[in-house]
Each structure stands twice: as structure tokens, then as C-alpha cells.
Amino acid sequence: MTTRPPTLEEVAQRAGVSTGTVSRVINNARHVSDKSRRAVEKAIAELGYVPNTAARSLATQRRGAVVLAISSDDPALFANLFFAEVITGVNAVIEETDLQLMLVLAASERGRSRFGKILQSRSADGVMLLALKENDPLSTMAEDSGLPTVHGGRSLDRTPQWYVDADNRGGARTAVEHLIAAGRRNIATITGELDTHAGQGRYMGYREAVVLAGLSDQRVAHGDFSEASGAAGMKLLLDDHPDLDAVFAASDAMAIGALDVLRENGKRVPEDVAVVGFNDVVTARNTQPALTTVRQPIEAMGREMTRMLVRLLNGEQPTSLILPTELVLRAST
Amino acid sequence: MTTRPPTLEEVAQRAGVSTGTVSRVINNARHVSDKSRRAVEKAIAELGYVPNTAARSLATQRRGAVVLAISSDDPALFANLFFAEVITGVNAVIEETDLQLMLVLAASERGRSRFGKILQSRSADGVMLLALKENDPLSTMAEDSGLPTVHGGRSLDRTPQWYVDADNRGGARTAVEHLIAAGRRNIATITGELDTHAGQGRYMGYREAVVLAGLSDQRVAHGDFSEASGAAGMKLLLDDHPDLDAVFAASDAMAIGALDVLRENGKRVPEDVAVVGFNDVVTARNTQPALTTVRQPIEAMGREMTRMLVRLLNGEQPTSLILPTELVLRAST
DNA sequence: GTGAAAGCGCTAACAA
DNA sequence: TTGTTAGCGCTTTCAC
């Protein structure tokens, strides 16, 4: 059944021209007469010719593929949603090109070494890296490989040359300013991991907003983005600052944990305490009450990362990007 | 900077053997003396040699890659979660092999034609298909291509040769039997789209359970898996069968819609009406009350699909699989 | 057990 | 504008 696909040479014979001409038509180079072009196109259509990608790669030294590497040890749900959205964005741009998308989930040691192999064997022309953790080994590997690399997000230690990130700081600031505008004065925050750029940025955004408004920035609990840490943080805050009237949580998961604790402690949301989260994953809509949150342009990040990489592959100079976030108002504020 | 990677020939020179021998070592064929083998391995290590995949593909006529194609027009959230989990499972098995994973999200016409190109140009050795819709064009394309193809899920019209599916019928039956065991007698269902295998199977499971218990299977509303259709279905059921004391919804989203309507109508869950969903996506845990649901082994589906494809590529005969589901008990029943 | 050499299907440089 | 041909880096016969 599986009959060998036609080769370029067969197309040439059928069209009555040389392989060089066929190749020129396919890669639509100049210097081809209309006559030959038409003959070749006819032959291609008749034979159902499709170029052999391996042969082409070997000849051109280009792979026609890019890899999206995701390094995730994170709590499954958030990470899943996040990467699904990123992939959707990436795919949208990839579809407009002739590139193919290779996916590497490099959580394990094994995954990392596979990623290394791909880089070394030049199986891909470029890489997009979604390193949700700091100091990710993948980042160094990609750099060492010399392949064009675009990062999603930044680390604290060093800013990659090409990256797309969400405006964590601005988003947090806007969220807290919203609380202030709504008349809240004793605003607390539950931070994410402060050794991440996102965690740091969101904390800075909080401080900026409260300090600029002449309010105290001392109502702080430190979490790690997880629901449990949000609950724990909320308990601490309630103990230490019983006067608080608003909480900005650096993730929706933490906000959800905080909501639970507030409910247990008989605090009404938003009457007694307003709550804002960050992310807008599914859950935000289904909490009680629905959670006001800062929406990140996750799909757009995927799109822009891909556009950036494509530019890089074309030899153009792209610009790193910080994408704006959006405050989504719901019942919790 | 980007210096050309070492070739097999260079390894051969360094090791003082022929390229043939190096190749034999790399593909660990027999007929290599320990001496040569060691020399070659040393040279490989020293040079940091990694085979050029394009050249290898050209020579072997194998691509060393499989494609996971997802055809999704579905409501973003569920589809995202679903495919993220599948991908995780797929990746886990892929990591154990030398295969590379290509991802094609073929929602648009463009995506479909890209998929076709991949098949025709033999850029992949096999394909995994996650066609969330029935009668998906991708399915036909894959079949026509003659490439080994494994399906996730089945369609109603025809059962693919190789597939992995969840036990929709059994899961539904178990869920409803649970309701019966809990003393419910007037059990309703909100079905999913009945032109899908999953929708049909879950409906059948419901009927099986109630009929076998000597109860009525007439409390039925038809939905389309979406939250809105769940709400609509629940309204109809409440009108037509005010005596109902339990609802089995064929998706969590519909269950959530149903919960809202029940609340609006002053029905207590689970006191007045017990509710069971199907799927166990994130939201299920955060509903009020938390939703009892049938959990599908989504990640396992990804894993098993991949194992099946790998077997096919190895020329073995796999067996199509129906994976068991699990009832997750929470507060809503 | 090993080496030599003929491809795999395409591109690109050079000649014509 | 077109044809010819030498690779691209690997695998795999076939001799030895």
C-alpha cells in the first residue's frame, strides 16, 4: 500500500525539464520561464509531489522546525492551563509559516538530556523556552547551543537577550490602585515566590501602589503561588493585621486559598475584605464570590514569542516585549 | 561562534577506523571488535559527536518523529485542559524513546492542510490523533496516508483500527449506580451531544443503570456538554419532573450549569437533589458544593496512545484499549 | 571484523 | 533561462 512518494527527479522527467528548474519553481526563485513553471506545476499536481523534508534539510542545513521547550515542575493545574494557552498562541503563528513545531516537556533529567540532544544535533532551527522556574538549566543549554532562542518570562539573575514577558509589576500596581480607588486603605498582599521575576514584580507593583498613595506596605505574607500557601498567608495576615480591608494575592490559586480562610473567619467578601488575584485561570470565575483578577495575555505571549523567533530566523532584529495585563473586575472587590 | 558540529567522518578519522565501523558502533550492530568500539566511543566523547538527524533520516527513510494532531474547535477551557493532560502523558512515553514529538493543532483549514503536508512528505513516522469531533477530516487524511495511526477516542460512524478510549459507558453506569445505592429513585440525566461516541456512551450507561434497577429512564434532557446547555437542561428537567432527586450530567461543565439552576430554584444539593458530573476538570473541586464526578484517565490515554504507536512502529501488534474511569466522591451526592 | 563506495532526495554553484 | 553536478552526513550493502 504505502507506495514511495514521487521524487523531484520524477517531476522533472514528467515536466520535461531539469531537476534544477523544478527546484527553482518549488522555491520560487527567479530565472524560470513561464512555460517551464507551468509545466512543472502541472507535473507536481499530477504526481502529488511533496518535497522530502529530510533531503531538503540535509542540503540546506536548515531544519524547518522550531522547538518549544517547557520546563515545568509546577503544580499541574496552573502549569497545564498556562502551557495549553501558550501552545495555542504559538501554534497560531506557526501555522502561517512552513515551520514545524516540536514540543519538549523537560521536567525530568531525561527530558533535559533529550532537549540537549535536539540542540546539539541541530534538529531545530530555533528554540522557544518557557522556563517557569528560575535558573533553569534549559536556559543555559539553549544559550550554549548558539541557536536563536526566545524566552517566555525572565529570571531574576539575568535578562535573556530575547524575551516576551507579561507586565507583572504594572498589573499588580493596577490591581492595588483599583482597591485604593474603591476606598480600601489597609491593603495586604500575599506574595509569590520572591526569587522569581514574576513574584518579585508583583510584590513591587503592590508596594509602588500603596506607597504612592501614602498607605502602609507592611501588611505582607509570603507565599509560593500555591493555594495552600495562600490560605496560610491569609491566616497570618488576619492574625497580625486584623484591620485589613483588602488583599492582593499574587496568584489566583493563593486568592482562592485566602477566600476559604476569610470565609472560615466570618469575613464577608467583598464587604469586609476585598480580594484580588492574578492570572485568571478557569477557577477564578467559579469561586464564591467570583474573583477579581489580573489577566495575563498568555496566548499573546505564545504568539509574540513565535513571531520573535521567526524574525530571528529571518535574520531580522526583533525587540523584546513586555505585554500589558488587564484587570478583570468581578464580585470579590 | 556557531561552529559546525563534528561529522561521523571526523569521528572515524580520530578513532582511526572507517565510517562504516563508527556507524556500526553508533547503531550498536554486531561485528565490531571491542577495540574499535572503545576507540570510537572515545572519539565520540571527545568530539561531542551527535548524529545529524536529517542525514540519518534521508538514509534510513525513517523520520524519528511522530505527530500528535489535535483537532479542536471545542470550548477553549475544557479542550485546553484535556489536551494539556494528554500531552503530558504522551510526553512521558516519548521521553523513553528516541522519537521526537511534533505537535499540530489543526483547528483551522490551514492547520489541516499543514497536517496533510506532514503526512505526505513523510515528515513523521506515525500519528496520534485526538479528534474531539466526529467525522473529523483529519481522521480520513491520516488513514489515506497509510501512516500508522492511533486514535484517542472513537467516532460513532466507524471504529478506528487502533484506538484508546475511556470507558464512558461504564463510568456513567457506575455514577448512576452510586446514586441508586444512596437511595435516589427519580434520577435524571443531562446528556452530551448524542452524535458523539462519548455522549452516546454516557447516556447508555445511565439508562443501563436505571433500567436494571427497575427505575424510570424517562427523565432526560439533551445538552451539548457546555455549561449553558447544562443550565438549560436543568430548567427543563425541573419543569417536567419536579420530583427528581438526582441528576447525572454527562460533563462537569453541564453539572456546573445545573448546580446554578438548582440553587436559583431553592433546591439544596445534595439534600434535595444529588448531582454527579463527568470529567473532573479543575472546576469540579471548586464548585459549591464540590462536585462528585467521573474521572477520566486522560493522561493515561496519552501514555497508552503513545505506547501503542511505538509498538506499531516496531512492527508489533498492539491492542486497542478502553481505559477504566473512576468515581470521585465529593459533597454533591 | 572492517573498509570502500553507492546511494537517500534535495539544493546551489557553475557552465552553458 | 536552463542543465549538470557536486555535495549535505549518514546507512548499508558488498568485498575483502
Side-chain angles (χ1 to χ4, degrees):
Chain A
M1 304 275 73
T2 311
T3 167
R4 186 180 55 66
T7 67
L8 186 146
E9 183 158 4
E10 285 159 11
V11 174
Q13 278 169 16
R14 173 133 189 166
V17 300
S18 71
T19 61
T21 300
V22 176
S23 183
R24 283 185 266 269
V25 170
I26 289 173
N27 303 295
N28 51 76
R30 306 110 310 162
H31 307 308
V32 182
S33 66
D34 274 10
K35 181 151 167 288
S36 320
R37 166 161 278 125
R38 261 191 293 279
V40 170
E41 276 162 356
K42 182 152 170 287
I44 287 180
E46 288 171 359
L47 261 39
Y49 171 76
V50 178
N52 178 314
T53 49
R56 176 181 288 190
S57 294
L58 183 55
T60 58
Q61 306 282 48
R62 263 180 268 103
R63 269 342 66 133
V66 295
V67 31
L68 172 62
I70 301 180
S71 159
S72 157
D73 298 349
D74 284 60
L77 284 179
F78 168 68
N80 276 356
L81 275 170
F82 191 90
F83 90 54
E85 270 197 65
V86 169
I87 289 177
T88 306
V90 167
N91 184 72
V93 177
I94 287 288
E95 274 194 358
E96 302 169 359
T97 70
D98 282 326
L99 293 168
Q100 265 157 27
L101 178 62
M102 293 170 35
L103 188 65
V104 177
L105 266 42
S108 65
E109 182 48 52
R110 189 164 220 154
R112 270 190 289 279
S113 89
R114 276 171 47 81
F115 180 61
K117 280 252 169 35
I118 292 178
L119 296 177
Q120 287 175 56
S121 67
R122 294 276 186 276
S123 307
D125 297 324
V127 8
M128 288 178 278
L129 212 49
L130 220 53
L132 302 177
K133 311 178 311 180
E134 298 307 297
N135 268 319
D136 205 290
L138 299 195
S139 175
T140 324
M141 293 169 70
E143 220 161 70
D144 293 350
S145 78
L147 286 185
T149 303
V150 171
H151 292 251
R154 286 167 284 176
S155 10
L156 275 180
D157 41 342
R158 52 170 183 178
T159 302
Q161 183 170 18
W162 310 116
Y163 68 86
V164 178
D165 202 356
D167 186 7
N168 288 299
R169 187 161 180 160
R173 196 191 321 110
T174 305
V176 175
E177 282 169 356
H178 166 70
L179 293 171
I180 295 170
R184 309 289 169 163
R185 288 298 170 266
N186 305 330
I187 303 174
T189 189
I190 307 176
T191 73
E193 290 167 288
L194 291 185
D195 59 345
T196 68
H197 193 278
Q200 190 67 236
R202 292 172 199 174
Y203 179 41
M204 287 300 126
Y206 157 82
R207 294 196 53 214
E208 248 168 64
V210 288
V211 169
L212 280 175
L215 303 173
S216 160
D217 64 350
Q218 297 303 307
R219 298 182 180 83
V220 179
H222 295 294
D224 60 7
F225 293 123
S226 74
E227 186 170 331
S229 77
M234 193 67 239
K235 282 199 191 94
L236 287 178
L237 287 174
L238 245 20
D239 285 351
D240 297 351
H241 312 280
D243 62 338
L244 61 81
D245 58 9
V247 183
F248 165 64
S251 77
D252 280 353
M254 292 198 299
I256 288 168
L259 284 177
D260 285 345
V261 170
L262 287 169
R263 182 169 26 231
E264 285 164 15
N265 283 268
K267 298 286 193 180
R268 292 166 306 162
V269 176
E271 293 81 354
D272 303 327
V273 180
V275 178
V276 183
F278 205 108
N279 275 345
D280 200 38
V281 292
V282 218
T283 35
R285 239 183 57 238
N286 294 296
T287 54
Q288 296 285 356
L291 187 63
T292 291
T293 193
V294 179
R295 170 154 36 201
Q296 298 192 73
I298 306 180
E299 192 176 327
M301 282 182 62
R303 265 195 317 258
E304 294 305 332
M305 286 175 69
T306 315
R307 292 209 178 107
M308 194 173 288
L309 184 55
V310 168
R311 292 215 178 89
L312 241 23
L313 295 180
N314 289 338
E316 301 167 35
Q317 282 285 319
T319 313
S320 286
L321 257 28
I322 295 181
L323 303 181
T325 56
E326 182 195 359
L327 186 63
V328 180
L329 298 177
R330 299 211 185 86
S332 71
T333 54
Chain B
M1 317 213 254
T2 312
T3 166
R4 185 180 55 66
T7 67
L8 188 146
E9 184 157 5
E10 286 158 10
V11 173
Q13 279 171 14
R14 175 131 186 167
V17 300
S18 72
T19 60
T21 300
V22 176
S23 184
R24 284 185 264 270
V25 171
I26 290 173
N27 301 298
N28 53 77
R30 306 109 311 161
H31 306 308
V32 183
S33 66
D34 274 11
K35 182 152 165 288
S36 319
R37 167 161 278 125
R38 262 191 294 278
V40 169
E41 276 163 354
K42 184 154 168 287
I44 287 180
E46 288 171 357
L47 262 39
Y49 171 75
V50 177
N52 178 313
T53 48
R56 177 180 289 193
S57 294
L58 183 56
T60 59
Q61 306 281 48
R62 264 180 265 103
R63 271 338 69 135
V66 296
V67 33
L68 172 61
I70 302 180
S71 161
S72 157
D73 297 350
D74 285 62
L77 284 178
F78 168 68
N80 275 355
L81 274 171
F82 190 91
F83 90 54
E85 270 198 67
V86 169
I87 290 178
T88 306
V90 167
N91 184 72
V93 176
I94 286 286
E95 274 195 359
E96 301 169 359
T97 70
D98 283 325
L99 293 169
Q100 266 156 27
L101 178 61
M102 292 170 36
L103 188 65
V104 177
L105 264 45
S108 65
E109 182 47 53
R110 189 165 220 156
R112 271 190 288 279
S113 90
R114 275 171 49 81
F115 179 63
K117 280 251 168 38
I118 291 178
L119 296 177
Q120 287 175 55
S121 67
R122 293 278 186 275
S123 306
D125 297 324
V127 10
M128 289 178 278
L129 212 48
L130 218 53
L132 302 176
K133 311 178 309 180
E134 298 306 299
N135 269 319
D136 205 290
L138 299 195
S139 177
T140 323
M141 294 170 69
E143 220 161 68
D144 293 350
S145 78
L147 286 185
T149 302
V150 171
H151 292 250
R154 286 166 284 176
S155 9
L156 275 180
D157 41 342
R158 53 170 183 180
T159 302
Q161 183 171 20
W162 310 116
Y163 68 86
V164 178
D165 202 356
D167 185 6
N168 288 298
R169 188 159 180 160
R173 195 190 324 107
T174 305
V176 176
E177 283 169 355
H178 166 69
L179 293 170
I180 295 169
R184 309 288 170 164
R185 288 297 170 266
N186 304 331
I187 304 175
T189 189
I190 307 175
T191 74
E193 289 165 289
L194 291 184
D195 59 346
T196 68
H197 192 278
Q200 190 66 237
R202 293 172 199 174
Y203 179 42
M204 286 300 128
Y206 157 83
R207 294 197 53 216
E208 247 169 65
V210 289
V211 170
L212 280 176
L215 304 173
S216 158
D217 64 350
Q218 296 304 308
R219 298 182 179 83
V220 179
H222 294 294
D224 60 7
F225 292 124
S226 74
E227 187 170 330
S229 78
M234 193 68 240
K235 283 200 191 91
L236 287 179
L237 287 174
L238 245 21
D239 284 351
D240 297 351
H241 312 280
D243 61 340
L244 61 82
D245 58 9
V247 183
F248 165 64
S251 77
D252 281 353
M254 292 197 300
I256 288 169
L259 284 177
D260 286 345
V261 170
L262 287 169
R263 183 170 23 230
E264 285 163 15
N265 284 268
K267 298 285 191 180
R268 291 166 308 160
V269 177
E271 292 81 355
D272 302 327
V273 179
V275 178
V276 183
F278 205 110
N279 273 346
D280 201 38
V281 291
V282 219
T283 35
R285 239 182 59 238
N286 295 294
T287 52
Q288 297 285 356
L291 187 64
T292 290
T293 192
V294 179
R295 171 154 36 202
Q296 299 193 72
I298 306 179
E299 192 177 326
M301 281 181 63
R303 266 195 314 260
E304 295 305 331
M305 285 174 69
T306 316
R307 292 210 177 106
M308 192 172 289
L309 183 55
V310 168
R311 293 215 177 89
L312 241 23
L313 295 180
N314 289 338
E316 301 166 34
Q317 281 284 319
T319 315
S320 287
L321 258 28
I322 295 179
L323 303 181
T325 56
E326 181 194 0
L327 187 64
V328 179
L329 298 176
R330 299 213 184 85
S332 70
T333 54

